[in-house]
Amino acid sequence: MNRATTLFGSWRDYRVRWLRQDVIAGVTTAAVVLPQTLAYAALAGLPAYVGLYTAFVPMLVYALFGTSRTLSVSSSATVAMLTGSALIALAPFHTGEALMRASATLTLLTGAMLLIAAALRFGFLANFISAPVLTGFRAGIAVVVLSEQLPRLFGLHPQGDGRLEQLVSLVRSLPQTSVMTLVLGASTVVLLVALQRRYPRLPAPLLAVVLSTAAVIAFNLDRMGVEVVGQVPSGLPSIVLPDLRLVIELWPAAMGIALMSFIQSLTAGQAVVSAGEPYPAPDVELRALGIADAAGAFFGCMPATGAASATLVNVRAGARSQLAGLFASLIALGAMLWLGPLLQDVPKATLAAIAVVFAATLINVKEFAAIRAVRRTEFIWALVALVGVVAMGALRGIVVAIIVSVMSLAYQALHPRLHVLRRKPGTRRFRPPSDRNPTDEDVPGLLVLRPEGRLFFGNAAYFGQLIQPLLARNRPRVIVLDLRAVFDIEYTALLALADAEAKQRAAGTEVWLAAMSPDVLEIVRRSPLYARFGAERIFPTVADAIEAWDELPDQHVVRVVDEDE
């Protein structure tokens, strides 16, 4: 596998023929990203033009320092929702310039968290949230986005602290629906869905923004109740100084946003790696995203992340290197310099429609069904994460997602599998029972067990509980522990194994060990357990143990146990 490199380190591998593809991909991606970032900025409760800033600075910085050749870095519905949840907690005291400074503080803190994680080489945290829990978390975010954005399609602004109060307020305010806003918003949703299904290569969000803005200008829809973005400053973004007094309030949210943005970025980058191309380097990705956020904070950007949908567009458009992201950022710069007067007439209902359509894609019903078909327990974890986000909000929801992931990991570690192996007729091969091998047989007097995973203090007693009924039912003369699937044995588990061996020996049953990995064998050798077993009861493979069993005198003599005993 090739080693991932940044743009600075990949010039020697660049091919001139890629330039045309990178330019086309950059322009195409910008056509999709710019309308999305306008919508996501509004979703975060920030001025829409903040989306342009976020599509410029972080994308430019990531193109220089990131290791994914095709990742598109701007924003996403998930990160925008987390950002909005953090900023709304400061309202109503932070509006206008104060809101921008609060946003800059949050973005700077997010960048600082990512840089600290990079320095500590915490790239492994990308695997901290399990896939089913992430599926549930994304679906929960989608439900929250839909509940907050759908009223804007009606031109309504329901009031209330909780979702139930807002729902009641929405129902009561339905008679005040702006018919023209509803027509425009619903038409945008239909247009986006239709274009995505029939013409997926077209920049549907850009077309929706252009058409709806043209309608506002041509028919003066802003005078008919249709709300528009309003004044958009032209030119380069002004310098925004973070408000360090907000650090204590915002750092927990920044930590959650940093974790989620990194996970989204790395998974999006890994998903589009082609054969022969390098995978993104997690620790370098942390640093690149951290620099992107830290730099963007001083230009009024919201926290950035790798966007899966935009990355897919970038790949389909033929992107070959980080230069595609560089060209996309320059398109965003051009929009800031020259398109401000046009953007002020973009209807807010259109931005809400874009957020609604892309948030709906986060609800992957097929993925839920696949999880349920494979593992019902993890399906429950996914539902818990979904409900946690909806019931407690995005920021608390990410804590729920992390806790659920840890609980899931702990449950699996504390409840590992234990297989009772059966003999393939006429051989010394033992394997787990299967419908495909109905003729496999038990060997009277012999019990072969294969535990899986790490044996440690947390599951030592659990293994004992699993084994006891097997001993009572089989009454074996020899127990062979096939340890090929055990990658580590902790000290407490060694003590438990020694205690179990002593009890079984007193009951007339021998315990043999087989198929230990070199690391596990070395651990056993350093413990008193090795002397207790002796070399004659430790075997390189299960086949060697079975050969020794076959050579035992009267190995098939088994105590007859009365059923009432």
Side-chain angles (χ1 to χ4, degrees):
M1 183 171 60
N2 296 332
R3 187 170 180 266
T5 58
T6 65
L7 181 59
F8 289 132
S10 62
W11 284 115
R12 63 174 179 266
D13 300 324
Y14 197 80
R15 302 290 182 267
V16 176
R17 65 177 181 273
W18 294 353
L19 183 60
R20 179 175 178 273
Q21 293 173 275
D22 281 336
V23 171
I24 294 174
V27 173
T28 304
T29 303
V32 173
V33 166
L34 297 187
Q36 285 183 356
T37 54
L38 293 173
Y40 294 148
L43 178 61
L46 295 166
Y49 57 81
V50 170
L52 293 180
Y53 300 167
T54 308
F56 170 50
V57 179
M59 192 177 294
L60 173 64
V61 173
Y62 181 85
L64 299 176
F65 295 97
T67 61
S68 173
R69 294 181 177 180
T70 54
L71 184 66
S72 177
V73 173
S74 54
S75 189
S76 70
T78 304
V79 170
M81 196 66 232
L82 291 170
T83 300
S85 297
L87 296 178
I88 200 172
L90 304 176
F93 306 107
H94 290 81
T95 58
E97 182 181 350
L99 177 62
M100 292 298 294
R101 295 188 67 186
S103 174
T105 307
L106 179 63
T107 304
L108 182 61
L109 283 173
T110 301
M113 298 288 182
L114 291 165
L115 289 172
I116 292 171
L120 297 176
R121 304 185 67 83
F122 278 179
F124 65 90
L125 289 176
N127 301 318
F128 199 66
I129 298 182
S130 68
V133 170
L134 191 57
T135 297
F137 178 80
R138 287 171 177 162
I141 287 291
V143 172
V144 174
V145 171
L146 292 173
S147 67
E148 294 192 357
Q149 294 299 305
L150 283 174
R152 299 184 183 182
L153 298 183
F154 292 79
L156 302 174
H157 301 278
Q159 304 298 316
D161 295 330
R163 303 202 184 284
L164 183 59
E165 290 184 18
Q166 292 178 358
L167 178 61
V168 172
S169 174
L170 174 63
V171 173
R172 289 177 176 173
S173 60
L174 283 177
Q176 285 78 47
T177 295
S178 169
V179 176
M180 192 55 65
T181 300
L182 178 59
V183 170
L184 186 64
S187 300
T188 302
V189 170
V190 172
L191 176 65
L192 289 170
V193 173
L195 288 178
Q196 285 182 342
R197 289 183 178 179
R198 294 184 61 87
Y199 306 102
R201 292 183 178 274
L202 290 178
L206 179 62
L207 292 176
V209 168
V210 170
L211 292 175
S212 60
T213 304
V216 169
I217 296 173
F219 302 107
N220 295 318
L221 297 184
D222 54 329
R223 299 179 183 177
M224 302 181 189
V226 175
E227 296 182 41
V228 296
V229 168
Q231 183 177 3
V232 175
S234 297
L236 294 173
S238 302
I239 297 296
V240 180
L241 296 178
D243 187 349
L244 299 183
R245 294 172 300 178
L246 301 175
V247 169
I248 299 300
E249 295 181 67
L250 292 176
W251 77 262
M255 183 176 292
I257 294 171
L259 176 62
M260 187 52 57
S261 66
F262 175 56
I263 291 173
Q264 285 193 169
S265 296
L266 196 62
T267 53
Q270 290 174 341
V272 295
V273 173
S274 301
E277 289 188 357
Y279 274 79
D283 292 319
V284 183
E285 288 294 284
L286 279 170
R287 185 171 68 243
L289 289 171
I291 296 173
D293 276 334
F298 293 96
F299 293 94
C301 300
M302 58 191 290
T305 184
S309 59
T311 299
L312 187 59
V313 170
N314 199 31
V315 172
R316 288 176 175 173
R320 300 303 301 271
S321 77
Q322 294 94 328
L323 272 181
L326 187 62
F327 289 125
S329 71
L330 295 179
I331 298 295
L333 174 61
M336 289 189 299
L337 293 176
W338 298 299
L339 297 183
L342 294 177
L343 293 176
Q344 67 185 13
D345 290 315
V346 175
K348 291 184 177 180
T350 295
L351 299 182
I354 293 173
V356 164
V357 171
F358 281 95
T361 62
L362 298 176
I363 304 176
N364 194 331
V365 177
K366 292 183 179 179
E367 184 66 20
F368 276 99
I371 296 170
R372 187 177 185 277
V374 175
R375 285 179 65 90
R376 186 179 294 270
T377 300
E378 294 191 67
F379 173 72
I380 294 175
W381 294 138
L383 292 182
V384 169
L386 189 160
V387 173
V389 174
V390 174
M392 294 185 289
L395 290 175
R396 291 193 180 118
I398 195 172
V399 176
V400 170
I402 293 173
I403 292 174
V404 168
S405 289
V406 172
M407 290 176 59
S408 176
L409 178 64
Y411 180 86
Q412 294 176 30
L414 296 173
H415 297 81
R417 299 288 298 275
L418 178 68
H419 298 284
V420 180
L421 308 188
R422 304 182 71 198
R423 188 174 193 166
K424 181 179 180 180
T427 71
R428 286 176 177 157
R429 179 185 176 189
F430 278 69
R431 56 194 179 186
S434 171
D435 294 337
R436 294 176 296 178
N437 306 307
T439 60
D440 286 359
E441 57 192 14
D442 294 318
V443 177
L446 178 66
L447 181 62
V448 183
L449 302 176
R450 180 187 295 168
E452 291 183 351
R454 181 173 184 258
L455 303 184
F456 68 111
F457 65 91
N459 59 25
Y462 177 75
F463 270 120
Q465 295 171 5
L466 291 180
I467 292 174
Q468 285 304 318
L470 300 174
L471 298 178
R473 184 167 62 249
N474 293 277
R475 295 298 178 94
R477 177 179 174 183
V478 171
I479 301 171
V480 176
L481 292 180
D482 176 4
L483 299 177
R484 76 182 70 181
V486 174
F487 58 86
D488 186 30
I489 298 183
E490 184 261 349
Y491 184 74
T492 304
L494 287 173
L495 294 179
L497 183 57
D499 180 65
E501 187 278 335
K503 291 180 180 178
Q504 292 305 313
R505 181 157 38 84
T509 299
E510 291 187 14
V511 178
W512 296 355
L513 305 179
M516 286 183 284
S517 69
D519 290 341
V520 172
L521 179 59
E522 181 60 27
I523 292 173
V524 173
R525 279 178 175 165
R526 294 199 303 263
S527 73
L529 190 66
Y530 188 79
R532 181 188 295 271
F533 274 81
E536 67 277 5
R537 289 196 287 156
I538 297 178
F539 302 90
T541 67
V542 174
D544 292 324
I546 302 307
E547 182 178 357
W549 159 262
D550 289 337
E551 293 174 357
L552 286 178
D554 302 324
Q555 75 268 38
H556 297 298
V557 176
V558 185
R559 288 171 294 175
V560 178
V561 182
D562 188 270
E563 293 183 358
D564 297 328
E565 186 175 58

